[in-house]
Amino acid sequence: MMRRLISDDGPRSRVLGVLLVVIVLALAFTPFLFPGTKALNVAAKVLVFIVLVASFDLLLGYTGIVSFAHTMFFGIGAYGVAIASTRMGPGWASVGVGVAAALAVSLLLALLIGLASLRVKAIFFAMITLAVASAFLTLASQLSDFTGGEDGLNFKVPEALQPGTQYLEQPLLGVSVDGRFATYYLLFFVALLLVLAMLRIVNSPFGRVLQAIRENDFRAEAIGYRTVVWRTIASVLSALFACAAGCLLALWLRYQGPDTSLSFEIMLDILLIVVIGGMGTIYGAVIGSVLFVIAQNYLQDLLRLGAGAAEGVPLLAALVSPDRWLLWLGLLFVLSVYYFPTGVVGRLRAWRARSARPT
């Protein structure tokens, strides 16, 4: 049953399997294991980034397409929910309309970009997507009547997801079962379904064709596959999953602005997570997202403790200052690339393959 659920794409490493089980259980029981608003926000961000990064890896790792427009579809999903909820008022109908409209716009834009640009090779296509994403960011910032401009949009979610909605009079195992609790588990189960769907896609005959195109598009074309069509389909699927991740982010934050989902910094984060976790594997998105988001949110706290312990040593105290957390995050990234050139998942699978090889 489990093998069918993960589309016969096992971790192929005992250590990786244990890590994945621990991550899934930790995310499933975060409200009970790690009480507090910050821990819940971090876990929700991890769930959103797992879907977002996996959708980008579907494009980069499995098809070999470099695109800088991925955050555009992420932002379209978030703006779809935000605009619909602002115009129509809080309710499931407005959420449904927002999600449907965002998916439709993402599909159309991905189709147009794919058909118009995927005949262009390598860096030229990447530059085209970067230009489109930059234009969309400018548009979102200037159309203040619809998007709220630089200030963004604050909106209300359906009553069932509002923090003031209480489902139980007494806390459950010390946790208040309210609308925020329900929103988190909505994110968890939707993210789980989307990741399983992407696992199914990459392990289907369609996914095998994408990998063949990634390895050698000339040979794939020679045996009868119209690579432009297949690349366009992959681009559309990737955009739809990224759009869904944006919808989840908007429901959690109850706010959407240009910096929330459209900034180029988020695109850089996605690239870093893909490299850390390992390209060409959905599990890499899970491992990389957990490592990166936790480091991004808790590294400052760790450095604050280190700065307090090294208070008597001026140079050391300056180096471990919480203000220099980006320096240490960059150092951790360099070390991860050096020691895990194929990502965490790739290295763990390589270790497993070497240990299983007969001597």
Side-chain angles (χ1 to χ4, degrees):
M1 176 64 181
M2 181 57 67
R3 291 187 63 183
R4 293 184 61 186
L5 195 63
I6 62 175
S7 305
D8 289 324
D9 186 8
R12 300 200 294 276
S13 166
R14 188 172 300 173
V15 176
L16 178 58
V18 171
L19 282 175
L20 290 171
V21 170
V22 170
I23 288 171
V24 171
L25 291 178
L27 290 173
F29 296 103
T30 291
F32 304 101
L33 295 175
F34 310 103
T37 303
K38 182 174 181 178
L40 200 63
N41 284 328
V42 170
K45 187 176 180 180
V46 167
L47 291 171
V48 171
F49 264 81
I50 286 173
V51 177
L52 179 62
V53 174
S55 66
F56 182 71
D57 198 37
L58 179 65
L59 202 61
L60 177 63
Y62 285 93
T63 317
I65 299 173
V66 180
S67 171
F68 292 116
H70 209 63
T71 51
M72 178 179 71
F73 302 111
F74 186 49
I76 288 173
Y79 270 116
V81 173
I83 293 173
S85 298
T86 302
R87 299 280 174 170
M88 300 173 60
W92 290 110
S94 58
V95 172
V97 169
V99 171
L103 290 173
V105 172
S106 296
L107 189 150
L108 181 61
L109 278 177
L111 193 62
L112 290 175
I113 293 172
L115 291 177
S117 308
L118 278 172
R119 293 182 183 274
V120 181
K121 298 295 183 181
I123 192 66
F124 302 104
F125 174 74
M127 291 299 101
I128 290 174
T129 58
L130 179 60
V132 173
S134 300
F136 190 86
L137 174 60
T138 303
L139 199 63
S141 300
Q142 293 182 351
L143 294 178
S144 55
D145 291 340
F146 292 96
T147 65
E150 295 291 343
D151 295 329
L153 295 172
N154 289 290
F155 61 94
K156 291 184 177 180
V157 293
E159 187 178 355
L161 304 180
Q162 293 178 7
T165 302
Q166 294 290 331
Y167 290 96
L168 295 178
E169 294 182 0
Q170 299 296 326
L172 177 65
L173 301 177
V175 177
S176 177
V177 182
D178 54 14
R180 202 64 170 161
F181 182 90
T183 306
Y184 177 78
Y185 278 102
L186 173 65
L187 261 66
F188 175 79
F189 287 111
V190 172
L192 183 62
L193 288 174
L194 291 175
V195 169
L196 291 176
M198 281 185 274
L199 270 174
R200 185 61 182 167
I201 288 172
V202 299
N203 290 288
S204 67
F206 171 78
R208 304 302 180 198
V209 174
L210 295 184
Q211 293 172 58
I213 294 172
R214 177 196 64 195
E215 296 300 325
N216 194 314
D217 59 346
F218 179 77
R219 289 183 180 178
E221 189 86 37
I223 62 177
Y225 294 110
R226 296 189 62 187
T227 56
V228 172
V229 174
W230 291 87
R231 286 171 183 263
T232 302
I233 296 173
S235 180
V236 168
L237 287 174
S238 176
L240 293 179
F241 281 112
C243 177
C247 295
L248 295 179
L249 180 69
L251 285 175
W252 180 255
L253 295 179
R254 291 167 292 160
Y255 166 81
Q256 167 58 17
D259 293 334
T260 307
S261 58
L262 292 173
S263 68
F264 191 69
E265 285 78 9
I266 296 176
M267 190 68 242
L268 293 178
D269 291 346
I270 295 171
L271 290 169
L272 291 177
I273 294 172
V274 167
V275 173
I276 292 170
M279 288 190 291
T281 165
I282 300 298
Y283 297 128
V286 178
I287 301 294
S289 297
V290 170
L291 292 176
F292 184 84
V293 174
I294 288 178
Q296 193 179 48
N297 286 273
Y298 289 104
L299 190 57
Q300 277 185 297
D301 296 336
L302 185 62
L303 289 175
R304 193 172 289 112
L305 293 175
E311 191 173 357
V313 185
L315 180 60
L316 184 59
L319 284 175
V320 297
S321 170
D323 295 334
R324 290 176 173 80
W325 71 276
L326 277 174
L327 169 67
W328 289 99
L329 185 64
L331 181 61
L332 289 174
F333 171 69
V334 171
L335 291 174
S336 68
V337 172
Y338 182 78
Y339 288 103
F340 299 90
T342 57
V344 175
V345 172
R347 176 53 67 92
L348 290 176
R349 285 178 169 176
W351 283 345
R352 175 63 178 173
R354 280 200 299 269
S355 63
R357 189 179 302 157
T359 56

